[in-house]
Amino acid sequence: MSAFDESAKVWFSGRFVDWKDATIHVMSHAVHYGSTVFEGVRCYDTPKGSAIFRLKEHVKRLFNSAKIYRMDIPYTFQEVFDACVETLKVNGWPDAYLRPLVFRGYHSLGVYPGDCPIEVVIGAWQWGKYLGEEALAAGVDVRVSSWTRMAPNTFPALAKCGANYMNSQLIKMEAMADGYIEGIALDSNGYVSEGSGENIFIIFDGDVLTPPLGASVLPGITRDTVITMAEELGYTVKESLIPREMLYIADEVFFTGSAAEVTPIRSIDRITIGSGCRGPVTEELQQRFFAYVNGELPDSYGWLTYMKFN
Ligand code: PPE
């Protein structure tokens, strides 16, 4: 059985279609060459109603990804933003994961995209905890991947493009095959980069460290949220190159992502991190993260888009 709610509606290039009708031709450009850029956004069921977390920043990154790949999105920022909100409204779940996707469609084949149209779709589903139900409290066991993240000037890491996720799949499948839940990839210089679908942070000597954008990482919106929150809490935050072995001797390590939220890592390559459970700084940041997404803290940055269902 599909994990999707197949009675849902999908926004497909300007109109809502039934889930089963949200299909494309197998000869579409994206199917052959991976020509897609996308986003992943969570909507939370808060005491004040459903709220989408940092939708503005996600739509902005979608347009940035498209720009890098010379994809001219045939809608304005506001149209895509509104379509995201509408997609959640028509489907009516109190919480959901939203997947806006821009792709080169059906016209002709050949690497040069030529006249293939740029299509935009927005789907949604209810997605539970990304790395397992226990992960947020207990932490996860991961390995350093034997696969390297894409080198600079090959696949642009700042673009969230579908093709990057072929590399992510190698990282994830290898980790799972070896009994881990996730892999941490190094960059082409051997420094820590990111997980297959998450940014990474370490707590080292009381400071909060994360790899810089030059280490082949996605400019994560949760990464930015955690940096902001850590500074609010008075921590020194450093975007710094992280040698692999620093992971093993860090006090705490955790993943961040829209899907993964703030997930503690309790072991890497079977080496226990810190005390082998969620560390105090991770817990503090995790609690603050959930307080923000649930609207329990004042929304001083305008991160929440509240939804009113009719
Ligand atoms: N790095 C990668 C490679 C990545 O895919 C994500 C998000 C992040 C970092 C964190 O970015 P942000 O969500 O803006 O904090 N991965 C998305 C897709 C995961 C999937 O399996 O699909 C997500 O978390 O939604």
Side-chain angles (χ1 to χ4, degrees), residues 38 40-41 58 61 97 99 127 130 149 160 165 168 194-199 218-223 256-260:
F38 68 98
V41 190
H58 282 284
R61 190 172 63 187
Y97 180 85
R99 174 52 60 83
W127 205 356
Y130 189 60
R149 209 72 181 123
K160 191 169 172 68
Y165 289 82
S168 288
E194 61 180 350
S196 76
E198 311 89 356
N199 291 114
L218 185 75
I221 288 154
T222 322
R223 175 183 182 276
T256 65
S258 301

Side-chain angles (χ1 to χ4, degrees), residues 41-55 81 84-98 126 292-295 299 303-310:
V41 190
R42 275 197 195 265
C43 172
Y44 288 89
D45 182 12
T46 86
K48 289 183 253 167
S50 296
I52 314 174
F53 188 60
R54 303 199 70 175
L55 180 57
F81 184 98
C84 287
V85 175
E86 286 307 313
T87 303
L88 289 168
K89 278 191 183 168
V90 295
N91 286 302
W93 306 295
D95 62 85
Y97 180 85
L98 195 65
Q126 289 191 286
Y292 267 121
V293 301
N294 286 315
D299 185 17
W303 282 345
L304 296 173
T305 302
Y306 283 98
M307 313 261 299
K308 297 212 176 10
F309 296 113
N310 303 314

